């Protein structure tokens, strides 16, 4: 389970509308949240926003919405933590004072996408990267957005960095069903290539790249080989099935929207375990035949830095 985020004070007045999304502004009391459960290999999770414009049908983060209405309206609202960079500076300074010889491990982000479309205007994530550079944490960034390329100048300065690019399927038709607001598969594959080949290799710097196929969605047979071939640019591929479904709040859970879509893909979900293992085996066989140095990891283990 991913720990729920601490509440920020807001009065639920819509401050603006950005591309059809209601935007609320908040002053965060804290920005570094203690990492627990699924993310407990880190010291902190860091979420510059609450809510996410991508609104993916399967997203577990909807469970951590402030109320029932916003759980049901996931994808159509975002809370901007306006003072995130200032709070981060204070919290990292406190960490450094307490642990002068230990850099914190930070996961950006656990319940939002730090590069959702609103980031173009707000540049909140970019401001956080600037603050973190002075403290050099071990940093993992989780996103599905090509916008991350904008920050290559900053990313290149981190000494211990892993970038996880989320690509749950190799088929555009599937993406359009499960995550229609998200960037195309092609653009995401191009993004991981640009990151890999434009962030310079430096002595004593540890920069790593993952594709997280999480949750593993169907990929049509005619798309599999092309998709798998393009994954050899990374050092890790992470697989994970849907989160268990339940009606509890504050528990990572697959939304009803995605569960309803399963019927359309009965050829895959009729024997989900077989489909999952078959795809995993094809990955292994291809990487082995190519002698590609790509590790395949599953679930929680795949989201650690190492």
């Amino acid at each position: 389970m991913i720990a729920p985020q601490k509440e920020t004070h807001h009065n639920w007045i819509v401050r603006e509308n950005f591309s059809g999304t209601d935007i609320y502004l908040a002053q965060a009391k804290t920005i570094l949240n203690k990492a627990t459960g699924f993310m407990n290999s880190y010291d902190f999770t860091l979420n510059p926003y609450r809510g996410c414009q991508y609104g993916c049908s399967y997203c577990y983060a909807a469970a951590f919405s402030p109320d029932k209405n916003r759980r049901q309206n996931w994808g159509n609202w975002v809370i901007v933590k306006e003072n995130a960079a200032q709070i981060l500076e204070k919290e990292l300074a406190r960490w450094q004072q307490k642990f002068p010889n230990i850099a914190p491990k930070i996961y950006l982000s656990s319940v939002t996408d730090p590069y959702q479309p609103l980031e173009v205007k707000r540049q909140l994530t970019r401001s956080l990267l600037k603050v973190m550079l002075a403290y050099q944490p071990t940093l993992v960034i989780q996103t599905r957005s090509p916008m991350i390329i904008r920050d290559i100048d900053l990313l290149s300065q981190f000494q211990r960095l892993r970038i996880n690019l989320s690509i749950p399927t190799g088929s555009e038709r599937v993406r359009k069903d499960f995550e229609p607001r998200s960037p195309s598969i092609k653009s995401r594959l191009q993004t991981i290539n640009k990151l890999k080949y434009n962030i310079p290799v430096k002595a004593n710097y540890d920069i790593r790249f993952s594709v997280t196929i999480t949750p593993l969605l169907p990929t049509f047979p005619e798309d599999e080989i092309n998709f798998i071939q393009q994954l050899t640019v990374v050092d890790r591929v992470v697989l994970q099935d849907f989160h268990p479904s339940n009606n509890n709040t504050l528990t990572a859970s697959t939304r009803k929207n995605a569960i309803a879509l399963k019927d359309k893909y009965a050829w895959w979900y009729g024997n989900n375990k077989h489909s999952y293992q078959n795809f995993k085996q094809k990955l292994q066989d291809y990487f082995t035949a190519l002698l590609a140095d790509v590790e395949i990891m599953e679930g929680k283990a795949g989201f650690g830095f190492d």
Side-chain angles (χ1 to χ4, degrees):
M1 173 182 170
I2 297 172
Q5 302 299 294
K6 296 179 180 179
E7 290 289 344
T8 52
H9 177 72
H10 50 77
N11 55 10
W12 293 122
I13 297 175
V14 177
R15 301 299 183 180
E16 64 179 282
N17 188 280
F18 183 91
S19 299
T21 304
D22 287 337
I23 307 300
Y24 304 87
L25 307 182
Q27 297 298 304
K29 296 179 180 179
T30 183
I31 196 68
L32 291 176
N33 288 277
K34 182 179 179 181
T36 59
F38 199 83
M39 293 299 170
N40 65 6
S41 63
Y42 297 89
D43 296 299
F44 303 107
T45 59
L46 173 54
N47 293 279
Y49 304 98
R50 289 193 71 180
C52 183
Q53 290 172 281
Y54 289 136
C56 299
S57 64
Y58 49 77
C59 188
Y60 63 83
F64 305 121
S65 301
D67 54 51
K68 182 178 179 180
N69 177 59
R70 285 168 181 81
R71 282 196 300 276
Q72 295 175 341
N73 203 30
W74 180 253
N76 297 319
W77 59 272
V78 174
I79 301 172
V80 178
K81 301 177 185 179
E82 286 190 293
N83 61 336
Q86 295 90 332
I87 296 297
L88 180 62
E89 178 71 56
K90 293 177 181 179
E91 293 181 340
L92 286 177
R94 283 200 297 267
W95 172 279
Q96 189 175 68
Q97 185 176 24
K98 187 175 181 180
F99 306 105
N101 300 312
I102 303 174
K105 297 178 181 178
I106 298 175
Y107 190 90
L108 172 75
S109 297
S110 58
V111 291
T112 191
D113 194 310
Y115 288 101
Q116 61 186 288
L118 185 61
E119 172 65 16
V120 170
K121 179 179 181 179
R122 291 289 172 175
Q123 298 201 27
L124 204 52
T125 296
R126 185 169 176 83
S127 70
L128 296 174
L129 293 177
K130 290 178 179 178
V131 171
M132 285 189 278
L133 275 176
Y135 298 90
Q136 286 295 333
T138 293
L139 178 63
V140 173
I141 300 175
Q142 183 77 47
T143 185
R144 66 189 64 241
S145 174
M147 196 192 313
I148 190 175
I149 294 169
R150 178 200 66 187
D151 292 338
I152 283 180
D153 61 324
L154 301 178
L155 299 173
S156 300
Q157 299 177 56
F158 282 90
Q159 296 172 12
R160 283 176 57 82
L161 173 69
R162 179 179 286 281
I163 297 174
N164 291 345
L165 203 72
S166 176
I167 315 179
T169 174
S171 296
E172 263 304 284
R173 287 177 287 170
V174 178
R175 179 198 67 79
K176 289 177 180 178
D177 278 337
F178 282 91
E179 42 173 65
R181 301 183 189 178
S182 290
S184 69
I185 303 302
K186 181 179 179 180
S187 68
R188 283 186 252 183
L189 289 167
Q190 290 174 338
T191 295
I192 200 67
N193 273 275
K194 289 179 181 177
L195 291 167
K196 175 68 179 290
Y197 295 113
N198 286 279
I199 296 179
V201 177
K202 302 178 185 177
N204 301 318
Y205 277 54
D206 191 355
I207 312 297
R208 310 183 188 193
F209 303 91
S210 305
V211 165
T212 54
I213 310 178
T214 56
L216 174 62
L217 301 178
T219 292
F220 285 101
E222 60 268 28
D223 298 325
E224 281 185 335
I225 294 302
N226 181 58
F227 181 43
I228 292 171
Q229 286 174 339
Q230 296 186 73
L231 300 179
T232 55
V233 69
V234 300
D235 61 82
R236 177 183 296 174
V237 170
V238 185
L239 299 177
Q240 183 182 347
D241 207 347
F242 281 115
H243 283 278
S245 303
N246 59 65
N247 295 317
N248 296 328
T249 59
L250 301 182
T251 302
S253 175
T254 294
R255 300 168 65 212
K256 293 180 180 178
N257 310 50
I259 295 170
L261 277 169
K262 285 186 175 183
D263 289 342
K264 183 174 180 178
Y265 294 94
W267 59 269
W268 177 280
Y269 291 112
N271 192 343
N272 186 48
K273 184 176 181 180
H274 171 77
S275 298
Y276 180 102
Q277 292 299 329
N278 186 49
F279 185 82
K280 178 184 173 183
Q281 188 63 52
K282 288 180 179 179
L283 284 174
Q284 291 174 329
D285 291 346
Y286 185 83
F287 294 155
T288 299
L290 204 63
L291 300 178
D293 190 17
V294 182
E295 62 179 348
I296 300 172
M297 300 187 73
E298 297 178 88
K300 178 181 176 181
F303 286 91
F305 179 84
D306 297 312

